Amino acid sequence: MNVRFQNAIPIIETLERAGYEAVFVGGAVRDRLLARDIGDIDIATNAKPDVVQQLFAKTIPIGIEHGTVLVLYNDEAFEVTTYRIDGEYDDFRHPNQVVFVSDLEKDLARRDFTINAIAMTKTGDIIDPFHGQEDLHRKVIKTVHNPSDRFQEDPLRMMRALRFLSQLGFELDSNTEQAIIRNGSLLTEIAVERIAVELEKLVLGKFVTKAFETITISKIYKYLPIFQEHEKLVREAKTYMKSPFLSMAEWITLLHQLDSSITIEHWCKSWKLSNVLRNKSKLLDSVYKCYKLNGLRKGCLYLLKEAYISEFVHLVNTMEQKKTLYDNEVFHAYQSLPITNRSELQLNGNDLLEMVPNLQEGPWIAQLLKAVEEEVVNGTLANKKEDIKEWVWEWIRENN
Ligand code: ATP
Ligand code: MG
């Protein structure tokens, strides 16, 4: 068995020694059966959350009301969730109450899709009451039980179906697809943050083309912030969703480029995305704009961060719909920049004030430093204190 599962076996055995049962569930089992890389390891057990907390030295009650305890063991984290069924959902967000049960099959029945409702014992035996393996084999995403009922209980599942489509390249089972078309409007009832989590996974999925196609055909975009008011953008964007995006920031930047009347600020606010993502999108956008005007000039590359090179390259190639840039080409050009940050300049604001002590502090310092920075970045001025000082005297003479 995969080493990731091996590492979790002591957790299952601890629960078993205390008289409980425990199995692997969810995405890890699905991905193992598909021979894909395994994400988080989830364990389900009939032990109640307080028992789980008592049995392990290091735990974090990350979702105790839903029965989930994070167990930290040998520098790894495992989600251990008590078998449960969900009570009534009356606000479309969270079940009114969660009822813990002793029967694994009941726990599997509350899960979203058959391919996610497969359990595996520590010895690798599969427990699959809803024939998830068959659907894995047929490459079908199908709800456990009636799809309309399941989407009405929790509309997020429709978005999850689309993200699994994007990650796995499967087809939607036809009843599941029909139920998505019929119940799509319920997506407006749930918190946009929850939709955004699934959207991000969708955007990064290998089969994003297929997923976006389904979003268009099923008209799900009508219930998604911004897209709902910009049908033309949806149609146009579809032609650009040709290969997986490297980040949500890259995707947002692309959408802003396709319709500049929708600002990055507006995208991030409407989708309640983080400030980190907003800033990264803005940065990618300014590099892209500079590149469009000037080509791969030093001044444009200087706006970029090394960590974002691949995203920038993918953005350019996606926008131009052909491979115009290569990662290693841009990486090489970036590496040959004289400086990559203002703090690397061999002359700072204090040096300037020392040079011209009778002048007042003020915006001129920033202006001058910016001018020095530009010269150094472009390679027209060496990043050496003496050279810069000489250049500064010249600048002062010319600007006074
Ligand atoms: P990933 O590899 O992205 O983690 P995953 O299938 O493990 O995929 P999670 O969001 O981690 O997805 O959820 C773990 C499991 O919990 C799912 O496989 C599914 O069985 C169940 N689940 C998660 N969200 C829902 C939901 N909204 N409704 C029903 N079951 C759900
Ligand atoms: Mg998971």
Side-chain angles (χ1 to χ4, degrees), residues 24 29 32-33 118-121 123-129 133:
F24 297 113
V29 177
R32 172 170 188 262
L33 293 170
I118 309 171
M120 183 176 80
T121 67
T123 51
D125 291 332
I126 296 292
I127 301 152
D128 181 16
Q133 288 175 108

Side-chain angles (χ1 to χ4, degrees), residues 330-345:
V330 179
F331 187 75
H332 195 255
Y334 189 87
Q335 293 273 307
S336 60
L337 286 176
I339 56 169
T340 54
N341 196 296
R342 180 175 284 190
S343 65
E344 292 165 30
L345 273 185

Side-chain angles (χ1 to χ4, degrees), residues 1-5 27-42 120:
M1 198 180 296
N2 179 298
V3 62
R4 303 281 316 283
F5 286 106
V29 177
R30 176 197 67 223
D31 291 340
R32 172 170 188 262
L33 293 170
L34 288 172
R36 294 175 87 235
D37 286 348
I38 287 156
D40 298 335
I41 301 259
D42 294 320
M120 183 176 80

Side-chain angles (χ1 to χ4, degrees), residues 305-321:
K305 286 187 180 170
E306 189 170 337
Y308 301 163
I309 288 178
S310 302
E311 282 150 85
F312 168 68
V313 170
H314 188 260
L315 174 70
V316 170
N317 292 340
T318 307
M319 281 303 296
E320 305 197 351
Q321 305 216 19

Side-chain angles (χ1 to χ4, degrees), residues 14 36 49 58 67 128 154 189 196 213 216 228 237 252 254 285 308 314 321 323 339 354 369 376 379:
T14 302
R36 294 175 87 235
K58 287 191 209 152
D128 181 16
D154 181 3
E189 306 280 349
E213 182 79 35
T216 318
Q228 57 199 180
I252 295 290
L254 175 102
D285 190 55
Y308 301 163
H314 188 260
Q321 305 216 19
K323 207 159 172 56
I339 56 169
E354 263 175 38
L369 278 178
V376 171

